[in-house]
Amino acid sequence: MHNPQSQTNTMNPTLLVELFTEELPPKVLKQLGQAFADLLTEHLKQAGHLSGAAKPACLPAQGRLACTISDVLARSPDKPEKTRLLPVKIGLDASGKPTAPLLKKLASLGLENFSLTDLLTESDGKQEVLCVNRTLEGQQLETSLQAALEQATTRLPIPKIMSYQLASGDTVHFVRPVHKLVVLHGDKVVPVHILGLEANRITRGHRFMGQGIVNIASAESYAQQLETEGKVIACFEKRQALIAQQLVSLAGTSQVVAPPELLEEVTALVEWPATYEAHFDAEFLQVPQACLILTMQANQKYFALTDATAQARPTGNATSAQGTMQTGFCWFPTWPRQHPNLLFPATNACCAPAWPMPNSFSIKTAKNAGKPPSRPAKRGLSQQTRHPKNRNARLVALAGHLAAPCGANPAHAARAALLCKADLLTDMVGEFPELQGTMGEHYALHDGEPPEVAQAIADHYRPRFAGDALPRNPAGLTVALADKLETLVGIYGIGLIPTGDKDPFALRRHALGVVRMVIEHKVALDIPATLQKTASLFDTFTDFKPEHLAGLYGFVIDRLKSYLKDQAYTAAEVDSVVSQSPAFFADLPARLNAVRQFSQLPEAQALAAANKRIGNILKKAGNTGLEPATPIQAELLLEAAEKNLFAHLQTIRPSVEHAYQQSDFTQSLLLLAPLKADVDAFFNQVMV
């Protein structure tokens, strides 16, 4: 007997779409796969083929873009729709018969035999309009999927499109040449075509392992068949988790340097993860650790090992890796051998691989040249960059100006400023720009520079990004501030002001870096005066004008507001402090905490209102409140209320001023709270 309930609970078949391609760009594979699945899902959902239980799965691998979508209808349901036709005065003549425009409109909708008695009339707010209720027939999956494929393959976020010619002579455009198209709805092939290919159920497994040809029985069995027959783990997240698990297992007590970008790239390159450990000669450990790790990650896709240990081993990049580097490293070949000992010696170790040699050669060549590496590089920089002597001189001069507020040794700050850009023309930084500063520190130590100077050279780019660490010593803080302030003034001065989301010179990041360093290191620096000092160091290189100073200061203030709000201060609290256009930023957190505590007092609202009233009175009198205070002549006071207020002020003034001078802003405001009664009496009893 037929059971309607059982039919309702039956799931529709799963849809599988796979494009088997040549090797896809690994750095964007995950994004391409997700975009492919999203575009197909979105189009089929709009066409009505997906139920509420439908779930898409993104399955990209080294040479395939694939996705499955569960519970897909073979035919979208019919859909009732009310269609607006024409205004009544156009669709019907004076006798109520249809006009030619109405008949033409009905014919275009396939309603030539539609009864005029079924026409509806409704108002659109301006006029009466003829409407008709009709049923839109559902579409077959083949039709909807053909349109979805055409849309998806043309709208992928492809960084660079390839053009290639088919056997027929037609030219197609895609991220990589496509060789096979698999489209299954359940166990049935959906007859669609794209990029010169007709859909079938034949795909290929791993290029060097498993079965070369895999005949997919159904969309539901796709992932399992690929894994068992083709030696390909289709799910990106499953492969990535397996790689991470194998790294931890093989590393033992060592720390794996595995930044997320490298982990994702290796996952895109490897279809059947199997990790091996290898070693390089210990002599290469003379090369700076960051250089070795960066070469491993960028060129070889290797995972370095360090001697750091921790319960939860965090990932890291070349310059933030914890611990000291070991000679061992982990790597994932694209095709694991059945007998790994044929690939490596029995100890799973490699003898002196070639990848560290160029780095070692570059560094040894520089060190053995008879001159400190930083000095010839500095001379080369002066020959290559525009107005370099001017910039170098500006950095040195500005570092000298900032050394005292930063608590730095002036000689160390000046020396670090002189050498901080010297590594830009070395071979190492030329190949790996990420090592600028890091190599400068290494070369400076080799030259015999003081450790504080070398560390300052490495740190003067900090903070490089939001949340990055700040310079570690006063000299580094000094040069970092000088570098960022000089860039801000120079670029802002020639009119290259950030607009919208465009900030090619990272001025917002530089300004935020200045704010962070001044506040978090408590640097007593007069920001407007320092900007003016920086501007005075420029000559004909820039057309920086005095009127630019206010705009640049406002630009820095905007970054200051964002920074303070990120520290969990409210917009009202930030505005109460920043609206005073502070020249010094270091004490702003203390001021904000004082405002927060004062605002919680019961007297706060009344005193704030009185303060606002006083400000308005001063404005009407032509006084901004910033002019030097005029001494009060007590003998001119007549009313008891004003005499009491003056006496109370005189009593608490010494304590308030002392707390303010000690930067105890909270106590300074709390001492003012008892004035509420006298202030209220003054405004109630004295005509101002």
Side-chain angles (χ1 to χ4, degrees):
M1 183 180 224
H2 176 66
N3 185 351
Q5 184 64 33
S6 64
Q7 183 178 8
T8 303
N9 291 335
T10 301
M11 295 284 287
N12 294 292
T14 296
L15 175 68
L16 162 69
V17 179
E18 182 205 69
L19 296 174
F20 184 82
T21 73
E22 295 185 11
E23 186 173 326
L24 294 164
K27 291 186 178 180
V28 295
L29 176 65
K30 188 176 182 180
Q31 292 87 335
L32 285 174
Q34 190 62 56
F36 185 64
D38 290 345
L39 288 167
L40 289 177
T41 303
E42 177 187 0
H43 191 97
L44 293 177
K45 184 177 182 180
Q46 291 177 353
H49 288 278
L50 303 188
S51 71
K55 292 182 180 180
C58 169
L59 304 171
Q62 184 186 37
R64 69 191 78 229
L65 284 179
C67 77
T68 60
I69 308 173
S70 64
D71 201 8
V72 177
L73 299 170
R75 182 181 183 276
S76 61
D78 297 341
K79 184 172 65 173
E81 180 186 77
K82 179 184 287 187
T83 303
R84 297 177 61 184
L85 301 172
L86 296 171
V88 173
K89 60 183 179 182
I90 296 176
L92 302 176
D93 59 19
S95 61
K97 295 182 178 180
T99 62
L102 178 60
L103 294 175
K104 184 177 180 180
K105 181 71 173 179
L106 289 170
S108 69
L109 297 173
L111 301 174
E112 299 92 338
N113 300 322
F114 191 79
S115 174
L116 296 180
T117 58
D118 292 329
L119 287 176
L120 305 174
T121 302
E122 65 179 30
S123 174
D124 64 358
K126 296 181 180 179
Q127 58 184 343
E128 296 294 314
V129 180
L130 293 172
C131 303
V132 61
N133 286 324
R134 62 184 185 131
T135 300
L136 299 179
E137 292 187 359
Q139 287 188 326
Q140 295 297 324
L141 178 60
E142 173 186 348
T143 304
S144 301
L145 186 56
Q146 182 64 50
L149 275 172
E150 292 171 358
Q151 181 187 66
T153 53
T154 56
R155 288 178 54 192
L156 286 177
I158 300 172
K160 190 174 183 180
I161 295 178
M162 289 185 65
S163 299
Y164 59 97
Q165 198 170 40
L166 303 174
S168 63
D170 295 334
T171 300
V172 295
H173 310 279
F174 199 58
V175 58
R176 291 291 185 271
V178 183
H179 299 295
K180 293 182 180 298
L181 172 64
V182 177
V183 182
L184 295 175
H185 185 223
D187 58 359
K188 296 182 175 60
V189 175
V190 183
V192 294
H193 58 87
I194 200 68
L195 301 172
L197 298 170
E198 298 290 337
N200 58 34
R201 64 175 70 247
I202 305 298
T203 188
R204 294 189 66 88
H206 196 286
R207 285 166 171 80
F208 306 100
M209 301 172 61
Q211 299 178 12
I213 298 297
V214 180
N215 192 323
I216 304 299
S218 69
E220 291 82 359
S221 68
Y222 171 73
Q224 184 63 35
Q225 281 189 261
L226 266 189
E227 185 168 342
T228 56
E229 300 175 27
K231 296 300 180 183
V232 173
I233 297 177
C235 178
F236 191 95
E237 288 72 20
K238 183 177 179 180
R239 290 201 309 277
Q240 185 166 321
L242 186 59
I243 288 172
Q245 179 183 351
Q246 290 183 11
L247 283 172
V248 171
S249 177
L250 187 61
T253 59
S254 299
Q255 178 82 271
V256 181
V257 183
E261 305 81 29
L262 177 61
L263 195 59
E264 187 171 303
E265 188 175 0
V266 171
T267 304
L269 288 169
V270 176
E271 293 180 314
W272 189 261
T275 185
Y276 300 100
E277 183 179 4
H279 297 267
F280 56 86
D281 287 344
E283 66 175 289
F284 291 118
L285 290 176
Q286 298 175 17
V287 177
Q289 178 170 310
C291 303
L292 291 176
I293 295 177
L294 193 58
T295 303
M296 291 170 121
Q297 294 176 352
N299 296 338
Q300 265 53 53
K301 317 306 175 191
Y302 293 163
F303 295 89
L305 299 177
T306 71
D307 63 2
T309 57
Q311 276 190 330
R313 294 199 286 276
T315 57
N317 56 31
T319 57
S320 65
Q322 300 177 5
T324 302
M325 189 174 179
Q326 300 176 340
T327 59
F329 60 90
C330 299
W331 69 295
F332 290 82
T334 53
W335 62 95
R337 303 297 189 188
Q338 297 296 329
H339 301 287
N341 288 344
L342 297 179
L343 183 63
F344 302 120
T347 57
N348 268 351
C350 286
C351 295
W355 55 264
M357 292 183 181
N359 287 352
S360 180
F361 176 78
S362 298
I363 293 173
K364 287 181 179 179
T365 299
K367 287 183 176 180
N368 296 332
K371 296 177 181 178
S374 61
R375 294 174 191 169
K378 178 177 176 293
R379 286 197 296 273
L381 189 67
S382 69
Q383 296 168 7
Q384 297 290 332
T385 58
R386 184 182 181 188
H387 295 282
K389 292 182 180 179
N390 290 349
R391 180 156 206 245
N392 214 33
R394 286 195 296 271
L395 288 178
V396 173
L398 195 53
H401 175 74
L402 298 172
C406 293
N409 181 319
H412 287 172
R415 186 66 178 166
L418 181 69
L419 300 176
C420 64
K421 305 296 182 183
D423 63 351
L424 294 182
L425 288 186
T426 60
D427 291 339
M428 283 301 306
V429 176
E431 183 176 358
F432 298 110
E434 302 94 329
L435 293 178
Q436 59 186 359
T438 300
M439 290 310 303
E441 178 182 24
H442 179 76
Y443 288 135
L445 289 173
H446 175 264
D447 292 354
E449 299 290 345
E452 186 179 5
V453 171
Q455 194 178 74
I457 293 172
D459 288 359
H460 86 278
Y461 290 105
R462 293 184 177 184
R464 300 176 184 86
F465 50 85
D468 189 21
L470 299 182
R472 292 166 289 177
N473 65 41
L477 177 65
T478 301
V479 181
L481 279 171
D483 184 50
K484 289 172 172 55
L485 288 167
E486 195 273 347
T487 301
L488 280 168
V489 171
I491 300 300
Y492 203 93
I494 57 176
L496 298 178
I497 304 169
T499 56
D501 59 350
K502 295 181 180 179
D503 188 9
F505 298 97
L507 296 192
R508 293 188 180 97
R509 176 168 58 82
H510 285 307
L512 182 58
V514 170
V515 168
R516 281 193 60 199
M517 286 187 284
V518 168
I519 291 179
E520 294 177 28
H521 277 291
K522 298 185 176 5
V523 182
L525 191 65
D526 187 326
I527 300 298
T530 304
L531 292 175
Q532 185 62 61
K533 171 65 177 178
T534 307
S536 70
L537 299 174
F538 283 82
D539 48 22
T540 56
F541 172 58
T542 178
D543 59 354
F544 189 88
K545 297 179 177 63
E547 56 266 26
H548 292 150
L549 182 61
L552 180 53
Y553 173 71
F555 179 78
V556 176
I557 286 292
D558 287 340
R559 306 284 80 71
L560 171 65
K561 290 179 180 178
S562 299
Y563 170 78
L564 293 175
K565 290 175 183 176
D566 288 342
Q567 305 305 307
Y569 294 107
T570 66
E573 290 169 344
V574 171
D575 288 341
S576 70
V577 172
V578 178
S579 63
Q580 302 301 312
S581 300
F584 295 87
F585 295 171
D587 60 3
L588 291 183
R591 293 175 182 267
L592 284 164
N593 291 330
V595 169
R596 175 169 292 179
Q597 292 192 37
F598 179 76
S599 64
Q600 296 171 357
L601 296 176
E603 301 90 347
Q605 188 172 357
L607 286 174
N611 186 66
K612 183 177 180 180
R613 184 174 179 182
I614 293 169
N616 292 334
I617 293 172
L618 291 174
K619 286 181 182 178
K620 290 181 180 179
N623 189 320
T624 64
L626 300 178
E627 291 78 2
T630 302
I632 297 176
Q633 300 180 45
E635 64 274 10
L636 299 179
L637 300 176
L638 301 177
E639 303 291 339
E642 58 186 358
K643 290 181 179 179
N644 292 337
L645 177 58
F646 176 69
H648 199 164
L649 276 172
Q650 292 299 99
T651 301
I652 67 172
R653 181 189 296 274
S655 300
V656 172
E657 291 180 347
H658 176 74
Y660 187 86
Q661 290 168 1
Q662 297 297 316
S663 298
D664 189 350
F665 304 113
T666 301
Q667 181 64 18
S668 180
L669 285 176
L670 293 177
L671 288 170
L672 294 174
L675 287 175
K676 177 184 180 300
D678 292 321
V679 171
D680 290 344
F682 173 79
F683 280 113
N684 290 332
Q685 300 175 23
V686 179
M687 179 66 68
V688 180

